[in-house]
Amino acid sequence: MSDDHDNGIDGDLPESLLPYDDWVEDAYREVMLRALEHAAVEGLPGDHHFYLTFLTNFPGVDIPARLRAQYPHDMTIVLQHQFWDLKVNRETGIVSVGLSFGGIGSMLVIPVAAITAFADPHVRMALRFSTDEPEEDFEIETEETAEDIEPVKPPAPHEDAQVVSLDAFRKRPPGGDKN
């Protein structure tokens, strides 16, 4: 029995008049924000840890000049054992956190809109976000130089602190390791 109505099975899907993609991305960002808020209040349970990738040249990103020079476009940070003062401010749309780079403590201020990826490798959960990249590199105007800013002293290392190996997340050739 045939029907005059196209059910879309054989053809392309019609363009949606509802912004489903935006709604799904908003829901994913909400998951990320809840995870960050939980870690800010309760700490990270068990072996959970977060990778946050963000655009360093996005308006409102505030990181030390040496990190901006080293990562002119984007940067991935790991929140695991040695971070402090993690805060999520939903009103301003900002995430801030203290991290140590080369033994020098630094505060990073990251607009939520600058975040392009969030992952918790412990449970193999990863989210990617679209973002409107700035048309040209954005520079924060300041009269201070990196030398004028007093380094933040990182807290004492956590007893369980360890180097995280990314080998577990790299693709392996078919057949596994033959070493």
Side-chain angles (χ1 to χ4, degrees), residues 18-38:
L18 296 173
Y20 287 117
D21 291 341
D22 293 341
W23 293 343
V24 168
E25 183 152 325
D26 288 346
Y28 285 161
R29 282 191 189 271
E30 179 65 22
V31 169
M32 173 192 68
L33 290 173
R34 285 186 181 189
L36 291 170
E37 287 171 332
H38 180 87

Side-chain angles (χ1 to χ4, degrees), residues 126-147:
L127 304 172
R128 288 215 167 271
F129 309 112
S130 61
T131 185
D132 295 328
E133 294 192 41
E135 291 182 21
E136 55 189 60
D137 285 351
F138 176 82
E139 292 188 26
I140 296 172
E141 293 182 23
T142 178
E143 294 179 11
E144 293 180 326
T145 65
E147 291 79 30

Side-chain angles (χ1 to χ4, degrees), residues 44-51 78-83 99-100 121-122 156-166 168-169:
L44 288 167
D47 291 330
H48 287 272
H49 54 289
F50 301 151
Y51 290 179
V78 179
L79 304 181
Q80 189 169 16
H81 297 298
Q82 296 183 6
F83 68 92
L99 289 170
S100 183
H122 177 62
H158 188 277
E159 290 178 15
D160 297 338
Q162 60 186 349
V163 174
V164 177
S165 172
L166 299 178
F169 303 101

Side-chain angles (χ1 to χ4, degrees), residues 1-168:
M1 175 183 240
S2 104
D3 184 9
D4 287 344
H5 301 289
D6 182 13
N7 60 12
I9 292 174
D10 294 332
D12 292 333
L13 291 175
E15 185 177 329
S16 176
L17 299 178
L18 296 173
Y20 287 117
D21 291 341
D22 293 341
W23 293 343
V24 168
E25 183 152 325
D26 288 346
Y28 285 161
R29 282 191 189 271
E30 179 65 22
V31 169
M32 173 192 68
L33 290 173
R34 285 186 181 189
L36 291 170
E37 287 171 332
H38 180 87
V41 173
E42 303 290 332
L44 288 167
D47 291 330
H48 287 272
H49 54 289
F50 301 151
Y51 290 179
L52 271 180
T53 302
F54 62 96
L55 299 174
T56 57
N57 59 347
F58 196 90
V61 169
D62 187 7
I63 60 175
R66 62 188 165 74
L67 293 178
R68 190 178 304 277
Q70 189 174 356
Y71 303 97
H73 181 65
D74 62 2
M75 178 179 189
T76 299
I77 58 173
V78 179
L79 304 181
Q80 189 169 16
H81 297 298
Q82 296 183 6
F83 68 92
W84 60 94
D85 292 337
L86 174 60
K87 294 180 182 140
V88 176
N89 186 329
R90 286 178 180 259
E91 191 172 300
T92 60
I94 297 289
V95 173
S96 61
V97 65
L99 289 170
S100 183
F101 298 91
I104 300 170
S106 304
M107 286 302 296
L108 283 67
V109 176
I110 308 161
V112 172
I115 299 172
T116 59
F118 170 84
D120 182 346
H122 177 62
V123 291
R124 294 187 181 176
M125 201 275 284
L127 304 172
R128 288 215 167 271
F129 309 112
S130 61
T131 185
D132 295 328
E133 294 192 41
E135 291 182 21
E136 55 189 60
D137 285 351
F138 176 82
E139 292 188 26
I140 296 172
E141 293 182 23
T142 178
E143 294 179 11
E144 293 180 326
T145 65
E147 291 79 30
D148 296 331
I149 300 170
E150 186 175 325
V152 177
K153 185 175 188 262
H158 188 277
E159 290 178 15
D160 297 338
Q162 60 186 349
V163 174
V164 177
S165 172
L166 299 178
D167 292 339

